[in-house]
Amino acid sequence: MKIAILSCFHPYRGGIAQFNTSLYLELAKTHEVAAFNFRRQYPEFLFPGKTQYVEDGKEEPFRSERILDTANPLSYPAAAGRIRQWKPDLLVMRYWMPYFAPSLGYVARHAGKGCKVIAILDNVVPHERRFFDVPFTRYFLNGCDGFMTLCDSVRDDLLKFRPDAAYTVTPHPLYSNFGEPLPKDRAAGILGIDPARKTILFFGLIREYKGLDILIDAFSGLDDSYQLVIAGECYGPFEKYRRKIDASPLRGNILVFDRYIPDNEVATFFSASDVCVLPYRSATQSGINSIACNFGLPVITTGVGGLKETIGARGTGITVDDISPEAIREAVVRFFTEPGIREEITDNIKKERQRLSWSSFCNGLTELYNKL
């Protein structure tokens, strides 16, 4: 089968591009695959971070063709035309925010006769709402033939827009492109943190809905045997988090790496930690959870969106129903003090690592295609 993937690839950075790279490499084992990339993903003034691009000098693992400027409608027909010229049987697109609906929705409608379009939906309803979300999202969804969601909550959002949708729910595969884990003492030494302390990790882009402020408040009620590692670039001002850190009685035990963490450093942070905490106010699924599972690291999270389904129900961590510092703190203490809980979670993670393979995910994609 000829499969075209239209989304972001190298030199764009971040979890979406990393996911797409793994997807391409797995599909290319058994299919003819072409990667079609953005010429421009976001206008710079709309991007909240420091840069959209990788800065580690790594070469792309395969060639992608940059055809779509999402901010320039004049590029849409040419992008669709290039895909038609390649004549795919299947066009796969990623959808994670309504900004992409006009460009991707246009291409979906003009991908060529006989080409089926499947969208992998990270979100249907965005975390941060805007007035145009509903009409833009409806436009995009109505241009697709089938959908893959990574959890039940996104499926439920999809069906509110498209009750007749052809879909499959297939969990987020594990990221395995960050190298091997390190011994904890060695990883802690690289980061300059105390390997003897109970280490809590908050990892990834810092945004309001991810609840870092909740975690800082929770951590401030613990004792001196704990340390908190915050690793990730802040989308927006970091000042409000800095004020909370400075006011914390454990401020000396809070270590901040306020920057984008490149791929070659990810293993160090997860290897140096005992548990990863996702104190999210809202969520669908989490790529951070997939990284944690890959490194065998337990997770503590709020039970929002698909997190209760993908973490709590699978036993790979602890979920709390109350989105509060008190609930997070109680879960952290339980993780470190309750006999047997850490061993049980670790055993469950080993089972999940076998289940959440890229081959299984791609089989779900091709099975959906065959039903369309």
Side-chain angles (χ1 to χ4, degrees), residues 243-256:
R243 286 195 296 270
K244 281 187 173 291
I245 292 169
D246 290 343
S248 172
L250 291 177
R251 57 186 172 275
N253 293 18
I254 302 176
L255 303 107
V256 179

Side-chain angles (χ1 to χ4, degrees), residues 126-196:
H127 299 295
E128 294 146 344
R129 312 286 176 87
R130 298 173 178 85
F131 71 93
F132 55 78
D133 290 344
V134 169
F136 276 28
T137 297
R138 183 171 288 116
Y139 172 74
F140 172 75
L141 296 178
N142 287 340
C144 300
D145 300 299
F147 305 92
M148 293 188 76
T149 73
L150 308 180
C151 63
D152 290 343
S153 66
V154 176
R155 174 206 59 195
D156 295 343
D157 290 337
L158 165 66
L159 294 177
K160 292 173 185 176
F161 284 87
R162 287 278 305 269
D164 63 337
Y167 69 87
T168 183
V169 181
T170 307
H172 196 307
L174 299 186
Y175 287 121
S176 56
N177 57 308
F178 298 116
E180 296 299 317
L182 306 172
K184 182 182 178 182
D185 286 1
R186 181 182 169 197
I190 293 171
L191 297 179
I193 66 176
D194 185 351

Side-chain angles (χ1 to χ4, degrees), residues 66-103:
R66 301 182 71 172
I67 63 171
L68 181 63
D69 182 341
T70 63
N72 182 2
L74 296 178
S75 77
Y76 302 175
R82 177 66 188 99
I83 290 174
R84 286 197 305 273
Q85 183 183 42
W86 196 70
K87 297 180 180 179
D89 302 299
L90 170 63
L91 170 62
V92 178
M93 296 189 288
R94 296 290 298 280
Y95 186 77
W96 66 96
M97 62 185 297
Y99 167 80
F100 294 99
S103 58

Side-chain angles (χ1 to χ4, degrees), residues 3 5 37 44 101 103 120 138 147 163 197 202 263 278 290 296 314 325-326 346 354:
I3 303 175
I5 306 174
N37 204 345
E44 290 298 332
S103 58
I120 300 174
R138 183 171 288 116
F147 305 92
R197 283 197 168 97
F202 179 96
D263 290 2
L278 310 176
S290 294
R314 307 302 303 188
E326 293 75 21
T346 301
Q354 297 173 356

Side-chain angles (χ1 to χ4, degrees), residues 349-362:
I349 290 174
K350 291 176 182 176
K351 297 173 186 175
E352 281 295 274
R353 292 176 69 178
Q354 297 173 356
R355 185 176 75 95
L356 298 178
S357 67
W358 283 98
S359 61
S360 177
F361 185 87
C362 291

